[in-house]
Amino acid sequence: MIDFHTHTTASDGALSPSELFSRAVDRGLTALAVTDHDTLAGWQTAQALKNQGVALVCGVELSCQWGGATIHVVGLNVDADSGELLEALDQLQQLRRDRAEKIAAKLERLGAVGALAGAQALAGEAAICRPHFAHWLVSEGYMPSVSRAFDKWLGNGKPGDIKTPWPALTDTVAVIVAAGGIPILAHPLKYRFTRTKLRALCDAFSVAGGVAVEIVNGRQSDAEIAQLKRLAIEKNLSVSLGSDFHREWTYGADLGVDVAIAGDISGVWEMIL
């Protein structure tokens, strides 16, 4: 059992790094990658806990763009001291701060007064993400639920869906490679691309230096996993497995994926563990 895609309170997860690590121990994982959005802070905190029988992998989930869409690339086994990576993270955090201000301005115009301060209070030291705004909207009574907040104000195509000039896919992959890491295309089916466009994305990713695609990143159906395995084989890519764990909830996956799911396809864990 491994999990190479997880989040903590350092980005938009509900568990602290220590709580996430304890959950990994309880779930019997042999390896855990902390892959917060555009920050290494969660992994840095978790380092002190790594002597409890679970191999801790340094990871990060970087935001970028390709084909007019926001794409996420997970970098595994990166060097946390890489100058290229640290510079890229600084730039991404500034983009997130700029986006948060624009989201707050939109919400203010919709009547949600104090959105920026409220989201910042919930985020603490973490960079503000849309879920922080969603939880604040619920806490202040503007929305009945987080899902409703996304459906009405924060989801794709809604007022709070601010288009951000993320770095190009090629540049993002290059940063991970320069940091000695393994670039992985995160949750390929979440982009809702046509099969033709998804194949084109994988081609561009591979040419840029991408190594693997996630075939499990939560609760996929058997048909979806099979589709992604075929895609990996077709594009000569390895595979990765993760839960994309943010918090415990009814419709989300818990920590841990059995590597047997990959079958005889090469997995990134073979390059790391």
Side-chain angles (χ1 to χ4, degrees), residues 114-136:
L116 184 60
Q120 283 178 329
L122 288 178
E125 296 182 359
I128 302 177
C129 301
R130 281 184 294 174
H132 296 127
F133 283 105
H135 284 283
W136 176 79

Side-chain angles (χ1 to χ4, degrees), residues 8 16-18 20-21 32 34 40-59 78-81:
T8 74
S16 68
S18 61
L20 181 74
F21 198 87
L32 172 74
V34 179
L40 294 171
W43 172 80
Q44 289 164 340
T45 301
Q47 284 187 89
L49 310 166
K50 63 183 181 181
N51 295 320
Q52 299 184 40
V54 179
L56 184 65
V57 178
C58 182
V78 294
D79 176 4
D81 296 319

Side-chain angles (χ1 to χ4, degrees), residues 7-230:
H7 298 277
T8 74
T9 49
S11 62
D12 57 345
L15 301 184
S16 68
S18 61
E19 290 170 333
L20 181 74
F21 198 87
S22 294
R23 195 180 189 94
V25 172
D26 292 342
R27 293 277 295 163
L29 269 64
T30 56
L32 172 74
V34 179
T35 58
D36 281 308
H37 290 285
D38 304 324
T39 180
L40 294 171
W43 172 80
Q44 289 164 340
T45 301
Q47 284 187 89
L49 310 166
K50 63 183 181 181
N51 295 320
Q52 299 184 40
V54 179
L56 184 65
V57 178
C58 182
V60 66
E61 184 173 7
L62 299 181
S63 308
C64 60
Q65 57 182 332
W66 177 88
T70 298
I71 304 296
H72 289 167
V73 178
V74 168
L76 290 182
N77 216 30
V78 294
D79 176 4
D81 296 319
S82 163
E84 292 91 338
L85 178 58
L86 293 175
E87 182 179 353
L89 291 176
D90 283 343
Q91 293 172 350
L92 288 166
Q93 290 300 326
Q94 184 58 55
L95 287 172
R96 284 188 172 275
R97 287 189 288 270
D98 294 344
R99 183 180 71 163
E101 291 177 359
K102 294 175 181 177
I103 292 173
K106 290 275 191 177
L107 295 179
E108 292 267 357
R109 286 197 286 273
L110 291 167
V113 180
L116 184 60
Q120 283 178 329
L122 288 178
E125 296 182 359
I128 302 177
C129 301
R130 281 184 294 174
H132 296 127
F133 283 105
H135 284 283
W136 176 79
L137 287 169
V138 173
S139 70
E140 294 299 306
Y142 291 108
M143 290 289 160
S145 66
V146 168
S147 60
R148 180 60 177 160
F150 273 90
D151 289 342
K152 189 172 181 181
W153 283 353
L154 294 169
N156 293 339
K158 304 303 179 182
D161 179 23
I162 302 298
K163 301 306 177 187
T164 306
W166 302 116
L169 173 70
T170 53
D171 294 337
T172 296
V173 172
V175 164
I176 294 171
V177 172
I182 301 170
I184 297 160
L185 182 62
H187 41 65
L189 298 182
K190 279 193 177 180
Y191 309 121
R192 300 187 181 278
F193 288 167
T194 64
R195 290 191 178 187
T196 298
K197 189 169 183 178
L198 182 55
R199 288 189 176 94
L201 168 60
C202 288
D203 287 336
F205 179 68
S206 182
V207 169
V211 171
V213 296
E214 288 182 344
I215 59 170
V216 175
N217 54 270
R219 284 188 173 178
Q220 278 76 40
S221 66
D222 290 343
E224 288 171 330
I225 293 173
Q227 176 188 346
L228 291 172
K229 289 172 74 172
R230 289 193 298 270

